[in-house]
Amino acid sequence: MGIKNKNLSAKDRIVLALDTDSLEEVERLVTLLKDYVGCFKVGPQLFTSCAYDAIDLIKKLGGEVYFDGKFHDIPSTVAKAGSNLIKRGVTIFSAHLAGGSKMLTTTVKVAKETAKKFNQPEPTILGVTLLSSFGQRTLTEELNVRMNIDEYVSHLTYLAKESKIDGVIASASEAKKIRQEFSDEFIILCPAIRPTWSVVNDQIRVVTPADAIRAGVDYMVVGRPITSADDPIAAANLIIDEIEEASKTVQI
Ligand code: C5P
């Protein structure tokens, strides 16, 4: 199937964050929600506790995996990490755009070659622009970057495009600008999604699913509003309804 298919249903647009340490919880959530979300996000927390056992279990239960490893290393190391994922059947993963064009282009090239060789779907590689934990002060004072956040995100998004990266992870406010500047094929995945009925937790700049759709976002990462709900299926259905409603008002 793959994340590149832009003929998306509301369900396809939801990327469920599996932020847990336990295989039992993975089994519970994937079994319960695989018909209500498009794919499952495995990040450092789950991977460092359950590694490929979690990935293999999600796949065995019929779920698609997005490995949010946010790779940032020398080109050959990141390319080999991507290649190893693809050999294990994980074709969607993330890397930091700040790793530079050599790292990005090498990773894209090796990923495509590996997918072909191992008969896997065309890989989808998403680029991290600037972590949402960064503000202007940290960008300027700690990283010594002279641009403002918007300019910096835009700069890195151009780098992503030139390096043949498939899309970026961006906030809804950034998504609006990116969608205006780049073609519809360029993927935008947006985290920190909070429906009005859910609690904010530790997220800071949150947006509703409807606002994300209106900003031109393709995929949205949702974790606790679904995984911590008393009835996760009902929570997912509410988000699906909200996405469907918002999609009627925008041309996607
Ligand atoms: O919906 P919830 O807050 O539980 O989602 C948490 C997930 O979103 C985590 O897996 C985290 O990695 C991811 N994320 C985020 N903010 C970002 C990027 C990713 O919360 N800017």
Side-chain angles (χ1 to χ4, degrees):
M1 182 179 122
I3 206 167
K4 269 182 200 159
N5 167 22
K6 281 275 195 155
N7 204 355
L8 297 171
S9 67
K11 161 196 172 269
D12 292 337
R13 292 176 182 278
I14 303 174
V15 176
L16 190 85
L18 285 176
D19 293 322
T20 170
D21 291 338
S22 112
L23 278 183
E24 290 71 33
E25 183 67 353
V26 169
E27 180 157 20
R28 181 184 81 85
L29 289 168
V30 177
T31 307
L32 199 61
L33 294 161
K34 68 176 194 301
D35 295 328
Y36 301 87
V37 302
C39 78
F40 294 92
K41 181 172 98 75
V42 174
Q45 182 188 346
L46 181 54
F47 197 74
T48 50
S49 66
C50 305
Y52 277 106
D53 288 345
I55 288 177
D56 293 343
L57 177 61
I58 298 165
K59 290 174 69 67
K60 191 180 109 195
L61 294 169
E64 184 157 25
V65 176
Y66 159 42
F67 187 75
D68 189 22
K70 297 190 175 74
F71 296 134
H72 189 169
D73 210 316
I74 57 169
S76 68
T77 299
V78 175
K80 281 175 190 148
S83 172
N84 286 341
L85 282 171
I86 291 166
K87 287 181 200 163
R88 299 291 294 246
V90 178
T91 56
I92 311 165
F93 62 92
S94 61
H96 272 277
L97 296 170
S101 66
K102 181 92 189 293
M103 183 198 89
L104 300 168
T105 50
T106 310
T107 303
V108 171
K109 182 171 172 282
V110 172
K112 282 189 175 159
E113 288 167 1
T114 310
K116 212 166 185 186
K117 188 165 167 201
F118 289 83
N119 220 359
Q120 293 287 346
E122 174 99 337
T124 302
I125 306 174
L126 299 177
V128 180
T129 52
L130 185 68
L131 294 173
S132 54
S133 48
F134 270 79
Q136 188 63 52
R137 190 198 63 77
T138 24
L139 183 68
T140 312
E141 290 177 19
E142 294 183 14
L143 299 193
N144 203 17
V145 170
R146 297 291 154 205
M147 293 176 215
N148 66 39
I149 287 183
D150 272 2
E151 289 165 345
Y152 188 58
V153 167
S154 186
H155 170 72
L156 287 175
T157 306
Y158 274 96
L159 184 71
K161 191 76 183 158
E162 275 165 23
S163 308
K164 306 268 187 297
I165 289 289
D166 300 289
V168 290
I169 301 152
S171 70
S173 58
E174 295 153 3
K176 220 170 217 161
K177 194 160 167 256
I178 294 168
R179 187 51 78 218
Q180 282 161 3
E181 289 176 24
F182 295 88
S183 69
D184 277 352
E185 286 75 55
F186 198 64
I187 296 167
I188 305 175
L189 177 141
C190 177
I193 298 290
R194 285 294 179 272
T196 48
W197 44 263
S198 64
V199 285
V200 169
N201 309 107
D202 53 357
Q203 295 283 17
I204 299 174
R205 285 171 292 137
V206 298
V207 284
T208 64
D211 283 341
I213 292 295
R214 286 192 279 264
V217 164
D218 300 299
Y219 298 92
M220 48 190 88
V221 174
V222 188
R224 287 160 293 183
I226 296 178
T227 56
S228 303
D230 290 339
D231 183 345
I233 292 180
N237 271 331
L238 278 176
I239 296 175
I240 288 172
D241 288 347
E242 185 173 336
I243 294 173
E244 280 173 354
E245 269 311 301
S247 301
K248 286 182 198 159
T249 63
V250 283
Q251 223 195 345
I252 301 171

